[in-house]
Short mmCIF file of all heavy atoms in Angstrom, two decimals:
data_model
loop_
_atom_site.label_atom_id
_atom_site.label_comp_id
_atom_site.label_asym_id
_atom_site.label_seq_id
_atom_site.Cartn_x
_atom_site.Cartn_y
_atom_site.Cartn_z
N GLY W 1 109.15 33.83 111.42
CA GLY W 1 108.83 35.22 111.17
C GLY W 1 110.02 36.12 110.93
O GLY W 1 109.88 37.31 110.72
N THR W 2 111.23 35.55 110.98
CA THR W 2 112.42 36.38 110.87
C THR W 2 113.42 35.89 109.84
O THR W 2 113.76 36.60 108.91
CB THR W 2 113.13 36.45 112.25
OG1 THR W 2 112.17 36.79 113.24
CG2 THR W 2 114.21 37.50 112.24
N LEU W 3 113.91 34.65 110.02
CA LEU W 3 114.97 34.12 109.16
C LEU W 3 114.58 32.78 108.55
O LEU W 3 114.04 31.92 109.24
CB LEU W 3 116.26 33.89 109.97
CG LEU W 3 116.96 35.12 110.51
CD1 LEU W 3 118.13 34.71 111.39
CD2 LEU W 3 117.47 35.99 109.37
N VAL W 4 114.86 32.64 107.25
CA VAL W 4 114.64 31.37 106.56
C VAL W 4 115.81 31.11 105.62
O VAL W 4 116.52 32.01 105.23
CB VAL W 4 113.32 31.37 105.73
CG1 VAL W 4 112.12 31.52 106.62
CG2 VAL W 4 113.36 32.43 104.66
N TRP W 5 116.00 29.83 105.29
CA TRP W 5 116.98 29.46 104.28
C TRP W 5 116.37 29.69 102.91
O TRP W 5 115.18 29.46 102.70
CB TRP W 5 117.38 27.99 104.40
CG TRP W 5 118.22 27.66 105.59
CD1 TRP W 5 117.83 27.00 106.71
CD2 TRP W 5 119.59 27.98 105.77
NE1 TRP W 5 118.88 26.89 107.58
CE2 TRP W 5 119.98 27.49 107.02
CE3 TRP W 5 120.54 28.65 105.00
CZ2 TRP W 5 121.27 27.64 107.53
CZ3 TRP W 5 121.82 28.80 105.50
CH2 TRP W 5 122.18 28.29 106.74
N ALA W 6 117.17 30.10 101.97
CA ALA W 6 116.77 30.20 100.56
C ALA W 6 117.61 29.17 99.80
O ALA W 6 118.82 29.10 99.99
CB ALA W 6 117.02 31.59 100.01
N ILE W 7 116.96 28.38 98.98
CA ILE W 7 117.67 27.34 98.23
C ILE W 7 117.77 27.77 96.77
O ILE W 7 116.76 28.09 96.14
CB ILE W 7 116.92 25.99 98.30
CG1 ILE W 7 116.81 25.53 99.75
CG2 ILE W 7 117.63 24.93 97.46
CD1 ILE W 7 115.95 24.29 99.92
N TYR W 8 118.97 27.77 96.25
CA TYR W 8 119.21 28.04 94.84
C TYR W 8 119.89 26.82 94.24
O TYR W 8 120.84 26.29 94.83
CB TYR W 8 120.12 29.26 94.65
CG TYR W 8 119.50 30.55 95.14
CD1 TYR W 8 119.73 31.00 96.43
CD2 TYR W 8 118.67 31.30 94.31
CE1 TYR W 8 119.15 32.18 96.88
CE2 TYR W 8 118.10 32.48 94.75
CZ TYR W 8 118.34 32.91 96.04
OH TYR W 8 117.77 34.07 96.48
N ALA W 9 119.42 26.36 93.11
CA ALA W 9 120.02 25.20 92.45
C ALA W 9 120.35 25.57 91.01
O ALA W 9 119.48 26.00 90.26
CB ALA W 9 119.06 24.02 92.48
N ASP W 10 121.61 25.45 90.66
CA ASP W 10 122.06 25.67 89.29
C ASP W 10 122.36 24.31 88.67
O ASP W 10 123.22 23.58 89.17
CB ASP W 10 123.32 26.53 89.23
CG ASP W 10 123.04 27.97 89.64
OD1 ASP W 10 121.92 28.45 89.39
OD2 ASP W 10 123.95 28.61 90.20
N LEU W 11 121.65 23.96 87.62
CA LEU W 11 121.89 22.70 86.92
C LEU W 11 122.63 23.02 85.63
O LEU W 11 122.20 23.87 84.86
CB LEU W 11 120.57 21.99 86.61
CG LEU W 11 119.73 21.60 87.82
CD1 LEU W 11 118.40 21.02 87.38
CD2 LEU W 11 120.47 20.61 88.69
N LYS W 12 123.72 22.34 85.41
CA LYS W 12 124.52 22.52 84.20
C LYS W 12 124.40 21.28 83.34
O LYS W 12 124.63 20.17 83.80
CB LYS W 12 126.01 22.74 84.55
CG LYS W 12 126.26 23.89 85.46
CD LYS W 12 126.48 25.14 84.69
CE LYS W 12 126.87 26.24 85.67
NZ LYS W 12 126.73 27.53 85.13
N CYS W 13 124.07 21.47 82.10
CA CYS W 13 123.96 20.36 81.15
C CYS W 13 125.36 20.08 80.59
O CYS W 13 125.97 20.95 79.97
CB CYS W 13 123.00 20.75 80.03
SG CYS W 13 122.79 19.48 78.79
N LEU W 14 125.86 18.88 80.83
CA LEU W 14 127.19 18.52 80.33
C LEU W 14 127.13 17.88 78.95
O LEU W 14 128.09 17.97 78.18
CB LEU W 14 127.87 17.55 81.31
CG LEU W 14 128.08 18.08 82.72
CD1 LEU W 14 128.68 17.01 83.61
CD2 LEU W 14 128.94 19.33 82.70
N ASN W 15 126.02 17.23 78.66
CA ASN W 15 125.86 16.57 77.37
C ASN W 15 124.38 16.50 77.06
O ASN W 15 123.60 16.01 77.88
CB ASN W 15 126.47 15.17 77.42
CG ASN W 15 126.44 14.48 76.08
OD1 ASN W 15 126.01 15.05 75.07
ND2 ASN W 15 126.88 13.25 76.04
N TYR W 16 123.98 16.98 75.90
CA TYR W 16 122.57 16.99 75.56
C TYR W 16 122.30 15.96 74.48
O TYR W 16 122.76 16.08 73.36
CB TYR W 16 122.14 18.37 75.08
CG TYR W 16 120.67 18.43 74.72
CD1 TYR W 16 119.70 18.42 75.71
CD2 TYR W 16 120.27 18.46 73.40
CE1 TYR W 16 118.37 18.47 75.39
CE2 TYR W 16 118.93 18.50 73.06
CZ TYR W 16 117.98 18.51 74.07
OH TYR W 16 116.66 18.54 73.76
N GLY W 17 121.53 14.94 74.86
CA GLY W 17 121.14 13.92 73.91
C GLY W 17 119.64 13.78 73.84
O GLY W 17 119.13 12.79 73.34
N GLY W 18 118.93 14.79 74.37
CA GLY W 18 117.48 14.72 74.42
C GLY W 18 116.99 14.41 75.81
O GLY W 18 117.76 14.05 76.69
N ASN W 19 115.67 14.59 76.00
CA ASN W 19 115.00 14.24 77.24
C ASN W 19 115.65 14.89 78.47
O ASN W 19 115.95 14.22 79.44
CB ASN W 19 114.96 12.72 77.38
CG ASN W 19 113.96 12.28 78.41
OD1 ASN W 19 113.23 13.08 78.96
ND2 ASN W 19 113.92 11.00 78.66
N ILE W 20 115.84 16.18 78.41
CA ILE W 20 116.55 16.90 79.48
C ILE W 20 115.72 17.01 80.76
O ILE W 20 116.27 17.05 81.86
CB ILE W 20 116.99 18.30 78.98
CG1 ILE W 20 118.04 18.90 79.91
CG2 ILE W 20 115.82 19.23 78.83
CD1 ILE W 20 119.36 18.27 79.80
N LEU W 21 114.40 17.05 80.67
CA LEU W 21 113.57 17.27 81.85
C LEU W 21 113.67 16.12 82.86
O LEU W 21 113.79 16.36 84.06
CB LEU W 21 112.12 17.50 81.45
CG LEU W 21 111.86 18.76 80.62
CD1 LEU W 21 110.39 18.84 80.22
CD2 LEU W 21 112.30 20.00 81.35
N ASP W 22 113.62 14.89 82.38
CA ASP W 22 113.72 13.74 83.29
C ASP W 22 115.06 13.74 84.03
O ASP W 22 115.13 13.52 85.24
CB ASP W 22 113.56 12.42 82.53
CG ASP W 22 112.19 12.26 81.91
OD1 ASP W 22 111.28 13.04 82.24
OD2 ASP W 22 112.03 11.35 81.08
N THR W 23 116.11 14.01 83.30
CA THR W 23 117.45 14.04 83.88
C THR W 23 117.57 15.17 84.89
O THR W 23 118.15 15.00 85.96
CB THR W 23 118.50 14.20 82.77
OG1 THR W 23 118.32 13.18 81.81
CG2 THR W 23 119.90 14.14 83.33
N ALA W 24 117.02 16.34 84.56
CA ALA W 24 117.10 17.49 85.45
C ALA W 24 116.36 17.24 86.76
O ALA W 24 116.84 17.61 87.83
CB ALA W 24 116.56 18.73 84.75
N ILE W 25 115.20 16.61 86.69
CA ILE W 25 114.45 16.29 87.91
C ILE W 25 115.25 15.33 88.79
O ILE W 25 115.36 15.52 90.00
CB ILE W 25 113.06 15.71 87.59
CG1 ILE W 25 112.16 16.79 87.00
CG2 ILE W 25 112.42 15.08 88.82
CD1 ILE W 25 110.85 16.29 86.47
N LYS W 26 115.84 14.31 88.18
CA LYS W 26 116.65 13.35 88.95
C LYS W 26 117.85 14.05 89.59
O LYS W 26 118.16 13.81 90.76
CB LYS W 26 117.11 12.22 88.05
CG LYS W 26 116.00 11.26 87.67
CD LYS W 26 116.50 10.16 86.75
CE LYS W 26 115.37 9.24 86.40
NZ LYS W 26 115.01 9.25 85.01
N ALA W 27 118.52 14.91 88.83
CA ALA W 27 119.70 15.62 89.35
C ALA W 27 119.31 16.56 90.49
O ALA W 27 119.99 16.62 91.52
CB ALA W 27 120.38 16.39 88.23
N LEU W 28 118.22 17.29 90.33
CA LEU W 28 117.78 18.22 91.36
C LEU W 28 117.38 17.49 92.64
O LEU W 28 117.77 17.88 93.74
CB LEU W 28 116.62 19.07 90.85
CG LEU W 28 116.08 20.13 91.80
CD1 LEU W 28 117.17 21.08 92.25
CD2 LEU W 28 114.95 20.89 91.14
N CYS W 29 116.64 16.40 92.52
CA CYS W 29 116.24 15.62 93.70
C CYS W 29 117.46 15.00 94.39
O CYS W 29 117.54 14.99 95.62
CB CYS W 29 115.23 14.54 93.32
SG CYS W 29 113.61 15.22 92.92
N ALA W 30 118.42 14.53 93.61
CA ALA W 30 119.65 13.97 94.20
C ALA W 30 120.41 15.05 94.97
O ALA W 30 120.92 14.81 96.07
CB ALA W 30 120.53 13.36 93.12
N ALA W 31 120.48 16.25 94.40
CA ALA W 31 121.18 17.35 95.08
C ALA W 31 120.46 17.73 96.37
O ALA W 31 121.10 17.96 97.41
CB ALA W 31 121.27 18.56 94.15
N LEU W 32 119.13 17.78 96.34
CA LEU W 32 118.37 18.12 97.54
C LEU W 32 118.53 17.04 98.63
O LEU W 32 118.64 17.36 99.81
CB LEU W 32 116.90 18.31 97.21
CG LEU W 32 116.55 19.56 96.41
CD1 LEU W 32 115.09 19.51 95.95
CD2 LEU W 32 116.83 20.81 97.21
N LEU W 33 118.57 15.77 98.21
CA LEU W 33 118.76 14.69 99.18
C LEU W 33 120.14 14.74 99.83
O LEU W 33 120.32 14.32 100.97
CB LEU W 33 118.56 13.33 98.50
CG LEU W 33 117.12 12.95 98.21
CD1 LEU W 33 117.06 11.76 97.26
CD2 LEU W 33 116.37 12.64 99.50
N ASP W 34 121.12 15.27 99.10
CA ASP W 34 122.49 15.33 99.59
C ASP W 34 122.80 16.64 100.33
O ASP W 34 123.85 16.78 100.94
CB ASP W 34 123.46 15.16 98.42
CG ASP W 34 124.87 14.90 98.87
OD1 ASP W 34 125.07 14.01 99.72
OD2 ASP W 34 125.78 15.60 98.39
N MET W 35 121.87 17.59 100.30
CA MET W 35 122.11 18.91 100.86
C MET W 35 122.26 18.86 102.37
O MET W 35 121.50 18.19 103.07
CB MET W 35 120.95 19.84 100.48
CG MET W 35 121.13 21.26 100.97
SD MET W 35 119.90 22.39 100.33
CE MET W 35 118.40 21.75 101.05
N LYS W 36 123.27 19.59 102.87
CA LYS W 36 123.50 19.72 104.31
C LYS W 36 123.51 21.21 104.65
O LYS W 36 124.07 22.00 103.91
CB LYS W 36 124.81 19.07 104.71
CG LYS W 36 124.82 17.58 104.52
CD LYS W 36 126.13 16.99 104.98
CE LYS W 36 126.27 15.52 104.79
NZ LYS W 36 125.25 14.75 104.25
N LEU W 37 122.87 21.56 105.76
CA LEU W 37 122.82 22.95 106.20
C LEU W 37 123.60 23.10 107.49
O LEU W 37 123.58 22.21 108.35
CB LEU W 37 121.37 23.38 106.43
CG LEU W 37 120.47 23.36 105.20
CD1 LEU W 37 119.03 23.67 105.58
CD2 LEU W 37 120.96 24.37 104.17
N PRO W 38 124.30 24.23 107.66
CA PRO W 38 125.03 24.44 108.91
C PRO W 38 124.08 24.72 110.07
O PRO W 38 122.96 25.21 109.87
CB PRO W 38 125.91 25.66 108.61
CG PRO W 38 125.23 26.35 107.50
CD PRO W 38 124.50 25.31 106.71
N GLN W 39 124.52 24.40 111.25
CA GLN W 39 123.74 24.67 112.46
C GLN W 39 123.76 26.17 112.73
O GLN W 39 124.81 26.80 112.68
CB GLN W 39 124.35 23.90 113.64
CG GLN W 39 123.50 23.90 114.87
CD GLN W 39 122.20 23.13 114.67
OE1 GLN W 39 122.18 22.10 114.01
NE2 GLN W 39 121.13 23.65 115.21
N VAL W 40 122.59 26.75 113.00
CA VAL W 40 122.48 28.18 113.27
C VAL W 40 121.83 28.38 114.62
O VAL W 40 120.82 27.75 114.94
CB VAL W 40 121.63 28.89 112.17
CG1 VAL W 40 121.47 30.36 112.49
CG2 VAL W 40 122.25 28.70 110.81
N GLU W 41 122.44 29.26 115.42
CA GLU W 41 121.87 29.63 116.71
C GLU W 41 121.69 31.13 116.73
O GLU W 41 122.56 31.88 116.29
CB GLU W 41 122.82 29.25 117.85
CG GLU W 41 122.59 27.88 118.41
CD GLU W 41 123.47 27.63 119.62
OE1 GLU W 41 123.47 28.47 120.55
OE2 GLU W 41 124.15 26.61 119.61
N ILE W 42 120.55 31.57 117.25
CA ILE W 42 120.29 32.99 117.37
C ILE W 42 120.08 33.30 118.84
O ILE W 42 119.20 32.72 119.49
CB ILE W 42 119.05 33.41 116.55
CG1 ILE W 42 119.31 33.11 115.08
CG2 ILE W 42 118.75 34.87 116.76
CD1 ILE W 42 118.11 33.33 114.20
N GLU W 43 120.92 34.17 119.34
CA GLU W 43 120.80 34.56 120.74
C GLU W 43 120.09 35.91 120.77
O GLU W 43 120.62 36.92 120.30
CB GLU W 43 122.20 34.68 121.36
CG GLU W 43 122.18 34.96 122.83
CD GLU W 43 123.58 35.02 123.39
OE1 GLU W 43 124.33 34.04 123.20
OE2 GLU W 43 123.92 36.05 123.99
N ASP W 44 118.88 35.91 121.29
CA ASP W 44 118.11 37.15 121.36
C ASP W 44 118.71 38.08 122.40
O ASP W 44 119.01 37.67 123.52
CB ASP W 44 116.65 36.86 121.74
CG ASP W 44 115.89 36.17 120.64
OD1 ASP W 44 116.23 36.38 119.46
OD2 ASP W 44 114.96 35.40 120.95
#
């Protein structure tokens, strides 16, 4: 009810040879699998 993480993902195309959607999904899923979040403590 108070604090949440917001995820932003910027994908950069380095080389375009077609079929960008399949590659983008793979890249985004790989980035999400590798994502690490810092530990947060809230003292009321």
Side-chain angles (χ1 to χ4, degrees):
T2 310
L3 293 174
V4 297
W5 288 107
I7 300 173
Y8 295 93
D10 291 329
L11 299 175
K12 303 271 186 197
C13 180
L14 300 177
N15 185 3
Y16 180 74
N19 197 5
I20 196 73
L21 296 177
D22 296 348
T23 306
I25 289 172
K26 288 179 180 115
L28 182 57
C29 288
L32 289 171
L33 285 167
D34 193 49
M35 182 172 64
K36 294 182 182 359
L37 297 174
Q39 190 66 38
V40 177
E41 270 186 51
I42 299 173
E43 185 178 305
D44 290 331

